[in-house]
Amino acid sequence: MTTADMWFDPRCPWAWNASRWLLEVERVRDVRVRFHVMSLAVLNEGRDGLEEWYREWLKPGMGPVRVAVAAEQKFGNEVLRDLYTALGTRIHYDRAPIARELYVAALTEVGLPLELADAAESTDHDEALLASHHAGLEPVGEDLGTPTIHVTDHAGACNAFFGPVVAPIPRGEEAGRLWDGVLLVSGTDGFFELKRARTRRPIER
């Protein structure tokens, strides 16, 4: 069994696509995915040159990550799998506003205590958030973001990379073939980047 650890910000549409792809990979390859929290708001804090629309988009960004980290701190890492799905479905498909109602609905769906929604406005779990954030990004470079994935092989070696940035979400064996290719190129010593212009919106349904 290969372990794939993915770091996500619940609001990032490209991370959402990558997470749904990884769940497809689980169906067709001997892979188990573990989810972890990072924050685009933390990543971009103090950065110059951000476009104004992106600065505005980042403003409510701490709420969802704080709720996710609070749930993980109280109930363990496994709760993030279903909670991320519940949050992400509402954010990316239902276009739910980033507000307490979003957190309550997601927590209700997965059977977690509703008081976890209070974490959105609290700094109590920020230390744990920062630790998770840096654990995910430091191996790939702090100028990158999410999706960030670490793959641990049978020998215990870790292959860490940013991406893939993909739309639409690959399904079935197509997801498996992308997984095989990503591991091939990212595991090549000295390989750093393969990129082309984005021609599709991230979320298509």
Side-chain angles (χ1 to χ4, degrees), residues 85-159:
T85 294
L87 288 168
T89 298
R90 288 167 173 80
I91 292 170
H92 301 294
Y93 296 151
D94 301 339
R95 306 298 183 189
I98 306 302
R100 184 178 180 84
E101 290 77 13
L102 164 67
Y103 315 135
V104 168
L107 292 165
T108 299
E109 178 182 327
V110 300
L112 290 174
L114 302 188
E115 57 263 28
L116 288 171
D118 297 340
E121 303 299 327
S122 170
T123 61
D124 289 352
H125 300 279
D126 283 6
E127 185 175 345
L129 167 61
L130 290 173
S132 178
H133 177 95
H134 291 301
L137 269 60
E138 283 176 358
V140 297
E142 284 288 349
D143 58 325
L144 300 173
T146 182
T148 289
I149 299 171
H150 299 187
V151 181
T152 304
D153 65 19
H154 303 290
C158 181
N159 174 15

Side-chain angles (χ1 to χ4, degrees), residues 6 31 37-38 54 69 136 151 176:
M6 179 187 162
V31 173
V37 184
M38 59 85 65
Y54 192 60
V69 168
V151 181

Side-chain angles (χ1 to χ4, degrees), residues 6-16 36-47 50 53-55 57-66 84 91-92 129-130 132-134 137 141-148 162 198:
M6 179 187 162
W7 276 259
F8 69 93
D9 182 313
R11 298 183 65 215
C12 177
W14 297 109
W16 175 253
H36 308 273
V37 184
M38 59 85 65
S39 168
L40 290 173
V42 169
L43 180 69
N44 288 283
E45 186 176 8
R47 281 190 174 178
L50 297 178
W53 72 267
Y54 192 60
R55 289 188 184 279
W57 183 85
L58 288 170
K59 284 183 178 179
M62 290 299 288
V65 295
R66 282 172 167 165
Y84 181 22
I91 292 170
H92 301 294
L129 167 61
L130 290 173
S132 178
H133 177 95
H134 291 301
L137 269 60
E142 284 288 349
D143 58 325
L144 300 173
T146 182
T148 289
F162 168 78
R198 301 173 191 174

